[in-house]
Amino acid sequence: MTPTKSGALKQRSSHSSPEPHVAIIGAGLSGLRCADILLRNGFRVTVIEARNRIGGRVHQYPLSNGHFVDLGPNWIHGTADNPFLDLAKLTNTSVGAFDTNAWTYHSAGHLLPLKEAEKCRNTTWGIVQQAFEHSNNHGAETRVQQSLLDFFHEKLPSLIPESETEFERKRDAVLQMAEMWGAFVGSPVSRQSLKYFWLEECLEGENLFCASTYKDILTRIAAPALAEADIKLNSKVQRIWYPSEASGKVEVELNSGQQLAFDEVVVTTPLGWLKRNMDAFNPALPPRLTQAINSIGYGCLEKVYISFPRAFWLSPHQDHKMNGLIQWLTPKYAPDSNPHRWHQEAVELASLKGQDSHPTLLFYMFGEQSKYVTSKLATLTNRDDESAFLRNFFHPYYSRLPNYRADSHDCQPEEFVATEWLNDEFAGNGSYCNFQVGLENGDEDIETMREGLPNQGLWFAGEHTAPFVALGTATGAYWSGEMVGKRISEIYAREGKRDNT
């Protein structure tokens, strides 16, 4: 920190109360972790949450079959020094990895032979890895309008040359399979920035599925705040006044009309909320910070759980064994419900081990499909109508699974559960930051949001301010809250020592 900033922060700390009071707006992973760090360092903490519960997007829904499912994050992305792997062990949370050789259905509806699908998948992931390397090594000279899909088109001719039998069909299969990247970032592969693709690279190691949900992990993270912080639920922030100079309090106005004053305010609301509520800040945020918030993309990843009486698709006698992952590539066979041929991808939870196994399919949606499904659900007034719509939409896909029979009770869905983050203002009407074509200064944008306005007592945390290796993940949200908590604590500790000299 520069001497000028240090002096300004000293001025703020000298005007604060003996027990500095920090507000954390948002009780998601970042807010709860930030509260934990601040409480350990002697701060008075108030957590302001618009919902009637803690957790933000980390939330579970009880299915009628007795199992809980995550409506938010399902995965632990990377195992190298990931605190969530440690938290999973501490809470006896079951995690597991799926075989990468997913069941894959061609656009005409038939199941691809395992070896052919595996070869296409290896080619697809090989190009993705090359794209990471290209972005890391040549991002500076890469055109801002170049997409990950453009990179696929560039690389395929050398990987599948015209001399190869049925090269056009094979190239087409890889391009269709490339659409799966959308389920990682909540946006189509054609919108993924190649220049800043390196910002999507996660921690080293496996991607683990949180088989018994994030429920106990959330409980563990939230425990300090629940025990020691003042938590205000059902409290929507309407306005934030922050001082233009390094003195005075930061004031927050709630939807109830109540106005509160704090020494520091940490805003952990989703990026999408910031984009839609820039006028909540008074004075207006500085131009560079405003630009950063507006420049980074915001995804729309949604999920639909479909539960059955029994996992009819699993059979000990079938030749083509299930391994957890299923893809339906740009389907041509659902022209009424899916005329745009949106790629479909699902995880079948019956392949989870032991008591975590249950006969449920988890479909992931992104982009225009997410917008279509959530906008339709918003018009329906009861669960029966919602179930009928979702059954009609997803029937062309689950009905192609092995052993499906229309007259079998086991093949009839018992329950549908769909997320609607796009319809949720507290989620910022979407989910997770991403990096889209046209982005010019993505890393600097993240660093600008991460820095915040510490001289004015206004800080930002969330998966959009995480370390570069964890952007857009639950781990990143957790780390971002931890980083801000430590920064605030270090400032007050340092200035306190100076004041006592």
Side-chain angles (χ1 to χ4, degrees):
M1 186 168 292
T2 65
T4 301
K5 287 185 177 180
S6 178
L9 288 166
K10 181 177 185 296
Q11 186 179 1
R12 283 191 58 73
S13 67
S14 66
H15 285 276
S16 62
S17 58
E19 185 185 34
H21 192 183
V22 181
I24 298 172
I25 300 174
L29 291 176
S30 57
L32 294 169
R33 180 55 175 164
C34 187
D36 183 7
I37 297 296
L38 292 171
L39 289 166
R40 293 186 196 183
N41 286 277
F43 289 81
R44 180 183 170 197
V45 176
T46 296
V47 179
I48 302 171
E49 171 55 52
R51 302 182 190 277
N52 62 359
R53 59 171 179 80
I54 64 168
R57 276 191 296 262
V58 182
H59 187 51
Q60 292 75 41
Y61 184 91
L63 296 178
S64 58
N65 63 17
H67 288 267
F68 283 84
V69 291
D70 276 315
L71 300 184
N74 292 116
W75 299 83
I76 296 175
H77 293 289
T79 52
D81 299 319
N82 193 328
F84 275 76
L85 188 58
D86 297 329
L87 286 164
K89 293 175 181 177
L90 285 170
T91 57
N92 293 316
T93 296
S94 300
V95 297
F98 291 116
D99 192 322
T100 56
N101 295 324
W103 268 3
T104 303
Y105 288 84
H106 195 268
S107 59
H110 62 267
L111 187 64
L112 288 177
L114 184 60
K115 288 185 178 180
E116 181 179 344
E118 182 179 1
K119 186 175 181 179
C120 286
R121 190 166 295 102
N122 288 341
T123 301
T124 301
W125 280 112
I127 296 175
V128 167
Q129 187 56 45
Q130 289 181 47
F132 278 130
E133 294 170 1
H134 172 91
S135 185
N136 274 297
N137 297 326
H138 305 289
E141 60 263 32
T142 299
R143 292 182 296 104
V144 298
Q145 292 300 329
Q146 194 168 3
S147 71
L148 179 58
L149 183 59
D150 293 332
F151 191 78
F152 266 82
H153 281 287
E154 178 185 322
K155 293 298 177 182
L156 271 176
S158 61
L159 295 173
I160 306 176
E162 292 185 10
S163 58
E164 191 167 325
T165 305
E166 296 186 296
F167 74 93
E168 290 181 329
R169 183 182 64 80
K170 292 175 182 177
R171 288 180 187 178
D172 186 55
V174 171
L175 289 173
Q176 291 178 38
M177 201 168 284
E179 291 294 332
M180 68 182 177
W181 185 257
F184 284 84
V185 298
S187 186
V189 65
S190 60
R191 297 295 304 160
Q192 171 69 63
S193 167
L194 180 64
K195 182 180 182 69
Y196 285 104
F197 192 45
W198 65 272
L199 289 176
E200 299 287 7
E201 201 164 16
C202 289
L203 292 169
E204 294 292 331
E206 291 184 284
N207 289 319
L208 301 178
F209 190 84
C210 207
S212 53
T213 79
Y214 267 83
K215 185 173 183 291
D216 292 336
I217 292 176
L218 174 62
T219 299
R220 178 93 179 195
I221 294 171
L226 292 174
E228 301 180 50
D230 175 23
I231 298 183
K232 295 182 177 296
L233 299 178
N234 298 305
S235 298
K236 180 180 177 181
V237 171
Q238 302 282 72
R239 191 81 58 189
I240 301 170
W241 288 274
Y242 65 96
S244 57
E245 298 179 355
S247 61
K249 301 282 188 178
V250 185
E251 298 183 4
V252 175
E253 180 182 348
L254 305 181
N255 58 329
S256 63
Q258 185 180 16
Q259 293 187 1
L260 306 169
F262 303 93
D263 296 299
E264 314 284 336
V265 169
V266 183
V267 181
T268 74
T269 57
L271 176 62
W273 187 93
L274 292 176
K275 287 176 177 289
R276 291 169 174 262
N277 291 275
M278 300 292 280
D279 59 352
F281 296 92
N282 194 347
L285 295 176
R288 183 63 187 94
L289 180 54
T290 298
Q291 180 186 27
I293 291 170
N294 288 329
S295 294
I296 301 301
Y298 198 54
C300 47
L301 181 65
E302 302 285 355
K303 302 170 186 178
V304 175
Y305 290 91
I306 307 178
S307 291
F308 296 83
R310 190 180 68 82
F312 64 85
W313 53 88
L314 295 183
S315 169
H317 305 298
Q318 66 196 41
D319 295 329
H320 214 117
K321 300 294 184 183
M322 175 58 72
N323 49 37
L325 303 177
I326 318 169
Q327 290 180 314
W328 296 263
L329 303 179
T330 55
K332 297 178 180 178
Y333 42 84
D336 295 331
S337 58
N338 186 4
H340 300 285
R341 297 175 58 192
W342 291 313
H343 173 96
Q344 303 298 319
E345 184 166 340
V347 176
E348 60 87 25
L349 305 184
S351 286
L352 298 174
K353 295 182 179 180
Q355 62 183 8
D356 296 316
S357 171
H358 54 106
T360 301
L361 299 174
L362 162 56
F363 281 84
Y364 289 96
M365 304 181 297
F366 58 89
E368 293 303 316
Q369 180 178 343
S370 287
K371 295 175 184 178
Y372 168 72
V373 171
T374 55
S375 63
K376 180 65 177 179
L377 290 173
T379 68
L380 303 177
T381 57
N382 60 67
R383 291 299 297 269
D384 288 342
D385 290 342
E386 291 175 0
S387 296
F389 165 69
L390 293 171
R391 180 182 290 105
N392 179 67
F393 189 90
F394 289 100
H395 176 267
Y397 316 113
Y398 66 73
S399 64
R400 277 174 165 72
L401 294 178
N403 312 314
Y404 176 84
R405 296 201 327 271
D407 60 350
S408 171
H409 171 72
D410 289 339
C411 301
Q412 304 308 311
E414 289 186 320
E415 187 172 14
F416 295 85
V417 175
T419 64
E420 295 184 59
W421 299 119
L422 272 168
N423 297 332
D424 187 333
E425 65 170 315
F426 303 139
N429 301 96
S431 45
Y432 308 116
C433 70
N434 58 36
F435 310 97
Q436 300 194 1
V437 292
L439 185 63
E440 296 181 342
N441 300 291
D443 51 347
E444 295 177 12
D445 292 331
I446 295 296
E447 289 171 342
T448 298
M449 291 190 289
R450 190 187 293 154
E451 174 64 18
L453 301 175
N455 292 351
Q456 285 75 51
L458 187 62
W459 309 76
F460 295 89
E463 46 87 18
H464 51 287
T465 69
F468 290 142
V469 293
L471 288 166
T473 68
T475 301
Y478 178 90
W479 270 339
S480 72
E482 181 177 276
M483 289 191 302
V484 169
K486 287 181 177 179
R487 287 172 65 196
I488 294 173
S489 299
E490 288 168 0
I491 288 168
Y492 278 84
R494 180 169 63 248
E495 299 302 337
K497 290 178 181 178
R498 291 182 180 178
D499 290 341
N500 291 329
T501 58

